[in-house]
Amino acid sequence: MNEAAEAAVRRRRSHGAGDVWAGGGRVSRTRSHRDLNKLQEPEVQPAESNWLSCHKAQESLLSSASGYSNYRGILNWCVVMLILSNARLFLENLIKYGILVDPIQVISLFLKDPYNWPALCLIIVSNAFVIVTLQIERKMAMGVLSESFGLALHTVNLIAILSFPAVVVLTVTSITPVGAVMALMCYTIQFLKLYSYKDVNKWSREVRRAKVKTLSRSLSAPGLKENGDAVQAVVMYPGNLTYKDMYYFLFAPTLCYELNFPRSPRIRKRFLLRRMFEMLFLIQLQVGLVQQWIVPAIQNSMKPFKDMDHSRMIERLLKLAVPNHMIWLIFFYWFFHSSMNVLAELMMFGDREFYRDWWNSETVTYFWKNWNIPVHKWCSRHFYKPMLKRGVNKRMAQMAVFFASAFFHEYLVSVPLKMFRLWAFMGMMAQVPLAWLVGRFLSGNYGNAAVWLSLIIGQPVAVLMYVHDYYILNYEGRQ
């Protein structure tokens, strides 16, 4: 016990034997002289180090070598400036022309006689081509038709899908240009869908090579497929050759057919209501902007084009470019995000990739691959890749894709206007050398700026060309 008590006394003396002040700080008497010398020497604190040294080797923030990429504030500034500048233009338009928005005038664009809807009747007739396609596939599945004869029938049917509405639009005078555009758009979408339907069923026959004599629904669900929280039956060929399957594909927001589409587990009501509200609001906004902004700008552009006043033509082109581009952006969001998601949600269609980040495009090719994913998937799956498999080189296959796109653009413009000027066709084909120039000489932000410039300026040029020619053809001689 005595030894333990003495040890405790020694510990107390070593730790608490009184304090003294040294070097401005409170130190223990029992600390070593080395520690005391350290305390007496003034230490350089971090704050004092900043006083002594405030520079380091670094790049300016806006230099590319700095690696800085957070320009959110500048982006917000650009948006504010864009809103303010366009608000001034819109106010100037209201002061000059007054309120031009007229919903009744919009309705008259679709029909001249309220009891005669030729465009709607033309769309209803398109079901005949759907039935023909399904019956051809059924006969081929049962072995009644050979592959070559079935392909010939499909070819005739597909040609008729494009030629029949064009003949009707060009011969029936009661169809308005807007109604004709809607009808031809439906037929074009149907053409692409039925072409995909034909190809996928052909591939299914090549995979299975089964000689099916009769159709049986028992072949359509040999198993189950988990899809998120939902479990769906797996459809196998030829159990997919039904009207239910065909019309689901026709209304689905895709151009590429599959036997088993990815499905969402349920309908999200809040999401659906938000998208529907966006649809209704944005379509009215687009119509109002066209009537209030685009129509007066186009009307004022006719005289400079007629007189070939080049300086005034350029001024009118630039004046039209801003509202036209704004309406195009609104249309993109309305169609590819709001409308397509409404349709996908109602049909519980799982694949919602309708677009990618085309706004970051640094090349023209990247833009065309990412701004319209349904069309890009169809072109790649049913046109571009089959050409490569047949030995066509990549460059020629790309030009063929642009040629097909140019044909459909011209088809959807020239036929409804009943005049053939090839402006849309040449505009699309001009994308081929433009893509080469931008990809060869520009990159990064410069390439992105070139893509945006082509979108902002290119579309108004085509609009003015067609409107000018349509005005000369239909109204110039009557005055």
Side-chain angles (χ1 to χ4, degrees):
M1 281 298 290
N2 293 335
E3 293 179 358
E6 290 176 0
V9 171
R10 285 196 298 270
R11 282 197 299 272
R12 284 198 298 271
R13 289 177 178 176
S14 62
H15 290 289
D19 295 329
V20 297
W21 293 91
R26 192 175 186 182
V27 298
S28 173
R29 286 179 179 175
T30 59
R31 288 183 179 176
S32 64
H33 293 288
R34 182 181 302 170
D35 294 337
L36 186 59
N37 292 334
K38 286 183 179 180
L39 287 174
Q40 289 175 348
E41 295 177 359
E43 291 186 1
V44 179
Q45 301 297 328
E48 297 175 356
S49 176
N50 291 337
W51 298 341
L52 298 176
S53 176
C54 62
H55 294 285
K56 63 178 180 180
Q58 56 185 333
E59 296 288 342
S60 297
L61 204 60
L62 297 180
S63 300
S64 59
S66 67
Y68 182 77
S69 59
N70 185 11
Y71 297 102
R72 184 177 58 183
I74 296 179
L75 177 63
N76 292 335
W77 171 79
C78 292
V79 172
V80 171
M81 292 298 295
L82 183 65
I83 293 174
L84 291 177
S85 60
N86 285 284
R88 186 198 67 80
L89 293 175
F90 191 74
L91 181 61
E92 179 184 357
N93 179 277
L94 286 176
I95 295 173
K96 186 175 181 180
Y97 302 107
I99 298 177
L100 301 176
V101 179
D102 184 6
I104 304 300
Q105 186 181 12
V106 177
I107 298 176
S108 67
L109 293 175
F110 291 90
L111 47 97
K112 294 179 180 179
D113 183 358
Y115 301 102
N116 181 20
W117 292 15
L120 180 60
C121 294
L122 189 58
I123 294 174
I124 295 174
V125 171
S126 67
N127 287 280
F129 301 99
V130 176
I131 296 173
V132 169
T133 300
L134 182 59
Q135 293 303 319
I136 292 174
E137 284 298 328
R138 284 184 164 184
K139 298 299 182 182
M140 294 178 71
M142 292 187 294
V144 176
L145 297 178
S146 63
E147 287 289 335
S148 58
F149 189 64
L151 178 60
L153 292 177
H154 275 308
T155 302
V156 173
N157 187 50
L158 291 172
I159 293 175
I161 290 176
L162 294 180
S163 58
F164 170 74
V167 171
V168 173
V169 169
L170 293 174
T171 54
V172 178
T173 58
S174 59
I175 297 182
T176 62
V178 177
V181 168
M182 301 296 292
L184 290 177
M185 181 68 73
C186 292
Y187 272 85
T188 301
I189 293 173
Q190 187 180 99
F191 171 86
L192 298 175
K193 284 176 175 281
L194 295 183
Y195 191 98
S196 177
Y197 188 80
K198 167 191 73 72
D199 273 359
V200 173
N201 283 304
K202 176 186 175 184
W203 298 336
S204 298
R205 287 191 297 273
E206 291 175 351
V207 170
R208 294 201 51 177
R209 292 296 183 189
K211 296 180 180 180
V212 182
K213 300 299 182 182
T214 57
L215 293 176
S216 174
R217 190 60 190 171
S218 61
L219 294 175
S220 65
L224 297 176
K225 174 183 174 182
E226 292 188 7
N227 187 23
D229 298 332
V231 178
Q232 66 183 69
V234 177
V235 178
M236 301 292 291
Y237 182 85
N240 63 306
L241 302 179
T242 62
Y243 284 102
K244 179 181 178 181
D245 182 87
M246 168 66 88
Y247 277 94
Y248 178 87
F249 170 54
L250 289 178
F251 285 98
T254 181
L255 298 176
C256 294
Y257 177 68
E258 290 184 15
L259 273 68
N260 297 279
F261 290 106
R263 304 292 293 273
S264 56
R266 61 184 179 85
I267 297 177
R268 299 169 293 178
K269 295 182 177 60
R270 291 185 179 180
F271 178 85
L272 180 62
L273 290 175
R274 287 198 301 268
R275 300 289 84 80
M276 292 180 69
F277 174 78
E278 291 174 355
M279 279 184 62
L280 296 175
F281 172 74
L282 292 178
I283 188 62
Q284 296 180 60
L285 179 61
Q286 291 177 78
V287 171
L289 289 175
V290 168
Q291 288 184 310
Q292 187 69 42
W293 211 344
I294 297 293
V295 173
I298 291 177
Q299 290 176 345
N300 294 333
S301 302
M302 292 300 100
K303 190 175 185 304
F305 271 83
K306 181 180 178 181
D307 299 338
M308 295 305 292
D309 187 349
H310 295 89
S311 60
R312 294 288 293 173
M313 288 168 57
I314 295 174
E315 185 269 336
R316 290 295 158 183
L317 173 64
L318 296 176
K319 189 172 184 178
L320 180 63
V322 173
N324 176 83
H325 187 65
M326 182 180 296
I327 292 172
W328 181 79
L329 291 176
I330 296 173
F331 169 80
F332 165 79
Y333 187 90
W334 170 79
F335 184 78
F336 287 99
H337 187 74
S338 301
S339 302
M340 299 280 272
N341 270 294
V342 165
L343 187 58
E345 197 69 29
L346 289 174
M347 303 190 68
M348 300 174 67
F349 187 79
D351 188 359
R352 308 297 176 89
E353 189 186 38
F354 307 123
Y355 56 89
R356 298 191 187 117
D357 60 335
W358 57 266
W359 46 87
N360 293 325
S361 302
E362 298 180 1
T363 62
V364 175
T365 305
Y366 186 88
F367 168 79
W368 288 111
K369 287 181 178 179
N370 291 276
W371 98 278
N372 189 339
I373 295 301
V375 171
H376 170 68
K377 285 183 177 179
W378 187 93
C379 291
S380 176
R381 186 192 195 196
H382 298 285
F383 198 71
Y384 180 73
K385 290 181 179 178
M387 291 185 70
L388 295 181
K389 290 181 180 179
R390 291 186 178 95
V392 180
N393 64 70
K394 187 176 180 180
R395 182 70 64 181
M396 291 299 297
Q398 289 177 345
M399 290 191 64
V401 171
F402 275 106
F403 183 87
S405 179
F407 166 78
F408 282 110
H409 277 78
E410 189 66 36
Y411 175 80
L412 293 173
V413 176
S414 291
V415 175
L417 295 179
K418 300 180 181 180
M419 63 178 192
F420 300 92
R421 296 295 186 272
L422 299 179
W423 299 121
F425 182 87
M426 290 188 293
M428 280 303 302
M429 292 306 296
Q431 299 296 309
V432 176
L434 179 63
W436 180 83
L437 289 173
V438 174
R440 179 70 180 272
F441 299 104
L442 300 175
S443 62
N445 293 332
Y446 296 103
N448 183 251
V451 172
W452 277 112
L453 187 63
S454 67
L455 295 175
I456 295 172
I457 301 298
Q459 292 176 0
V461 171
V463 171
L464 287 177
M465 291 294 185
Y466 278 106
V467 171
H468 172 264
D469 292 348
Y470 187 79
Y471 175 81
I472 296 296
L473 186 64
N474 293 275
Y475 298 102
E476 185 70 16
R478 300 177 186 178
Q479 296 178 353

